[in-house]
Each structure stands twice: as structure tokens, then as C-alpha cells.
Amino acid sequence: LCFATQATDNMRVLIIGAGGMLGRKLTQRLLNDGSVGGRALRYLTLADVTHPPPSSSSSSSPSSTSTSSSPTSTSSSSSSSKCDIQIETVNVAAPEVCAHLVSSRPDLIFHLAAIVSGDAERNFDRGYDINMHGMIHLLDAIRHTSSSTSSSASSSSTTSVVGTVAERYRPRLVFSSSTAVFGSPFPQAVPDDYIPAPLTSYGTQKLIGELLLADYTRKGFVDGIGLRLPTISVRPGLPNAAASGFFSSIIREPLVGKEALLPVLEGTRHWHASPRSAVGFLMHAATLDGDRVGPRRSINMPGISVTVTEQIEALQRVAGDGAVNRIKKQLDPFVQDMVSRWPQAFEAKRAYDLGFTADKDFDSIIRAHIEDELNGKVCH
């Protein structure tokens, strides 16, 4: 059963990777909605290796607390949403950290933390520590919490078999995977049954996470959903270490009057979704019926397939020639080689059948960025 069918009305949610762009936007969405699947959001834990910023909807200052696994922890309460917020500054590469994070038995866990593509390729050990071992530690922490709960229930003479099943800890775990789990050569549009065969360390680490998620779900330890996210464009803020970061920067920087470097050929085609859509994917996955998903727990998310040329044309339509003229070509063979090994389009029929929705076109992605991040104003 999905967590939304459980008896209690109050919801505990844990976001691992809450300090990143998607984590911050997901946090705001959760607090704005105030509920998930009809259950009131009562407790929200925000975990990241850097201090996740409290949501702007939180009305009180965080106060220090202590924890058994010694991460830095603070808490606050939002009177508007009646949600208690716990902030944890932790590294999921440490097994005791994951055990600490799931000790409160969150009903819903979003695992967004990752070393991104370019960084994972350059820093082999770091990529595996976070992207693979972090996932193993989290799943094992959930499994051990589930086992201890089941053992406690079975040792009670007053607990029936039905009661034991109902009380067993089995959270919904939404895992942010990537289209990098696939490797070339590709068909024009990757079908849902295409075999994952990554050609990068990042893609390999994400695929390992997907396989673990499916197996731990099959064994009944967790109710997992993996989302193979498109490249998220346009990402707000500063550039990150992802090889795909330029897809955002060639739009983001020109819109505010700054130059941006284009490190790949203009004919390069790629698969995109907006931050708005990505948060929508995560929220939809949180309440998706696991029986409809079936044993293949990871799903190719819908998106838009465009070339860099088509991105630039959309920028011109939305912001004019001045913005386009701020894009400067500077080919980077490392980035071009990595991006050329990524898929360019997906059928995503399964995702659409399960109710996921995507952006209409790249113009709408740019306009969403202007509305959400620039208060509707651009530098022409």
C-alpha cells in the first residue's frame, strides 16, 4: 500500500538533498500545499551536506538541538502551515547519518542528493561515495528500521498478524535518477523498454541506485519510485558542476545581461524539463499507486527534445536579439564528448499513462524562469 492509505492523518516527510535547487523548490511546494495525498504535512526534515536554508514561509528562527549521530541540527515551526521543520547538516556517505535520518520513521522520503555528472566523472571516489554508497546506506537504514519495528510488533503477545503488517515501516521513497543511465547508440526516441547501459560514472551510479531501489521494493522493505529526470532547464542561481549546466546558463545569464559560454555544437539535441515540471514529477510520484507502477520501479520522465539552436531561437522570441548576442561559442571537447553520449529524446509513454505531465515547449520553460526567478523582468 502507498503511504497515502495509512491510518494516521499527520505526515512526516524527509528531503535528502534539500539544499539544492530542486530540494528548495520542493520544500516550498510542500509548505505551500500543506499536505500530501490528503494527509496534513506535520513534520518536515531538510537534510543536506550544506545547511539547507529554512523556507521563506517559516515564521520563526531555528533553534539548536542535539542528535545522536552528531550532525548539525536545527529546528523551526511554521505557524502558517503548522509544520515542524527540522534542519540537518549531514553527509549521507556515513551509514550512521542515514540511520539517524530515518529514526523518526518518515512516511515519505525524497532522495535528491547527488554528485552531479561532470563532478562524478572527474572525482571517481566522491561520486561513488555519495551516489552509490549513500543510496545503500539509506536503503539499509530503512530496512533495519523496518526489521526492528516488525520484531517489536511480533514480540508483543497482543499484536495480531494484521496489526504487525499494518505497523511495519515501509515508506514511499522517491529517488531522483537520470537519463544518464542510458548509453549510445540511441534510437531517435528512447522507448520505455530500452535497456540501460550507461557510459559515464554518474549514469552507472544512478543505475545501481535504481536496481537497489527495485530489489528493496520487491523484498518489501520500501515502496520505491525512481524518476529518470531530464536535464532541468532553466536552473536558477549559480552554475553547478554538471556537464549539462550550460543548457541553463545560455538562457539564464543572457536574460540578466551577462555573457554565457556555449561549449558544444549548436546542433546538439537534448531532453529538457523545467524546475516547475520536475517538482510536479516528484509530487506526483509521492502518491502514485505502486500497483500501477509494477516491478519496474524507475520511469522515464516526459520532457521536450530541442537542439541548442532551437533553445537560442526560443530565447530570441522571448527576450530579443540582445539576449542572444550575449552567447559566446567556446567549444569544450570534454563537455561535447560527454553530452554526445546522452539520449536526445524519449517516448515516455509509460510516464504519460501514469499521469505525469511536462512543459508544452521551450518558450514556456523560459517564461516560467522569468516569472519564478526574475519577477517578470529581463534584460533585452
Side-chain angles (χ1 to χ4, degrees), residues 219-239:
K219 296 292 286 185
F221 302 127
V222 69
D223 182 8
I225 304 288
L227 305 182
R228 292 170 179 157
L229 297 175
T231 288
I232 307 304
S233 304
V234 176
R235 298 180 65 94
L238 298 174

Side-chain angles (χ1 to χ4, degrees), residues 5-199:
T5 66
Q6 296 177 7
T8 179
D9 290 331
N10 291 329
M11 169 76 66
R12 289 181 178 269
V13 176
L14 165 64
I15 304 177
I16 301 174
M21 181 274 293
L22 272 185
R24 294 193 303 271
K25 288 184 174 292
L26 176 62
T27 297
Q28 194 62 59
R29 169 71 182 272
L30 286 165
L31 292 174
N32 287 345
D33 289 358
S35 64
V36 183
R39 296 177 59 194
L41 178 63
R42 184 66 183 87
Y43 304 98
L44 177 61
T45 301
L46 308 176
D48 207 306
V49 68
T50 58
H51 198 290
S55 167
S56 59
S57 67
S58 178
S59 59
S60 61
S61 300
S63 58
S64 296
T65 62
S66 60
T67 63
S68 59
S69 58
S70 301
T72 302
S73 173
T74 59
S75 64
S76 64
S77 177
S78 171
S79 59
S80 59
S81 64
K82 301 186 184 304
C83 176
D84 292 334
I85 302 172
Q86 186 81 10
I87 297 176
E88 302 277 0
T89 307
V90 294
N91 186 340
V92 294
E96 65 274 12
V97 164
C98 290
H100 165 69
L101 291 176
V102 303
S103 63
S104 62
R105 301 173 78 239
D107 306 286
L108 170 61
I109 301 172
F110 294 98
H111 183 25
L112 312 179
I115 299 300
V116 292
S117 54
D119 198 10
E121 197 67 19
R122 295 183 183 96
N123 298 288
F124 188 82
D125 290 338
R126 187 166 178 243
Y128 274 92
D129 281 346
I130 300 299
N131 297 343
M132 186 186 76
H133 290 116
M135 182 65 163
I136 293 172
H137 298 329
L138 175 61
L139 289 168
D140 275 344
I142 294 169
R143 177 169 66 92
H144 294 316
T145 300
S146 175
S147 298
S148 63
T149 302
S150 298
S151 298
S152 298
S154 62
S155 65
S156 172
S157 59
T158 60
T159 303
S160 68
V161 173
V162 173
T164 301
V165 172
E167 293 170 8
R168 184 177 182 182
Y169 179 56
R170 186 172 180 255
R172 165 59 56 87
L173 172 58
V174 180
F175 171 55
S176 62
S177 188
S178 168
T179 59
V181 300
F182 298 103
S184 59
F186 298 110
Q188 186 172 3
V190 175
D192 288 323
D193 59 358
Y194 200 70
I195 297 175
L199 295 176

